[in-house]
Amino acid sequence: MGIPSELRDIFLPNKKDVFVASPAEDRKALRTKQCTDEGVQAGFRAACIACVVSAVPTLTAVRVIPWAKANLNYTAQALIISSASIAAYFITADKTILECARKNALLEDALVHNQQ
């Protein structure tokens, strides 16, 4: 159901002209992009640190502890190190994005109260 694409293209040849974003939406989109970028950078830093912190004891244990030497092959070692890095990335990125969004919400509320 709905409008066939041929009719839609006849009546709305350029869809971008139909919807115009307000300046407030533009600012909100910019802040959202900044929060996302900040979260990605913080997550990458945390993943790098977690990689080193988990790689050193894992690789040391495989060379020193007999049980680890017998049971942890290369795949297991890679899974241990990568799972720590992935978890650190997503946890840190999520926390950073939420913190930035909370700051933006408080800023928005403060701006609304100042205008009144």
Side-chain angles (χ1 to χ4, degrees):
M1 299 308 198
I3 300 173
S5 61
E6 295 84 18
L7 287 175
R8 184 194 66 218
D9 292 339
I10 291 170
F11 291 117
L12 301 171
N14 190 359
K15 293 181 222 172
K16 292 182 181 179
D17 293 337
V18 176
F19 301 107
V20 177
S22 70
E25 289 175 351
D26 289 339
R27 285 192 304 267
K28 194 177 286 187
L30 179 63
R31 286 194 308 262
T32 302
K33 179 155 177 37
Q34 289 172 344
C35 286
T36 305
D37 291 344
E38 189 178 321
V40 168
Q41 289 175 356
F44 182 73
R45 278 191 301 256
C48 290
I49 293 169
C51 180
V52 172
V53 167
S54 64
V56 171
T58 302
L59 297 176
T60 303
V62 169
R63 285 164 180 73
V64 175
I65 300 172
W67 179 89
K69 188 182 287 189
N71 293 312
L72 297 179
N73 59 10
Y74 295 121
T75 304
Q77 296 169 35
L79 284 173
I80 292 169
I81 295 167
S82 63
S83 63
S85 300
I86 291 168
Y89 174 83
F90 283 111
I91 291 169
T92 305
D94 185 45
K95 281 186 166 187
T96 305
I97 291 170
L98 288 175
E99 179 184 342
C100 186
R102 193 174 301 117
K103 281 187 215 173
N104 286 338
L106 292 174
L107 174 67
E108 192 75 27
D109 288 343
L111 290 174
V112 168
H113 289 302
N114 284 340
Q115 288 177 354
Q116 293 175 355

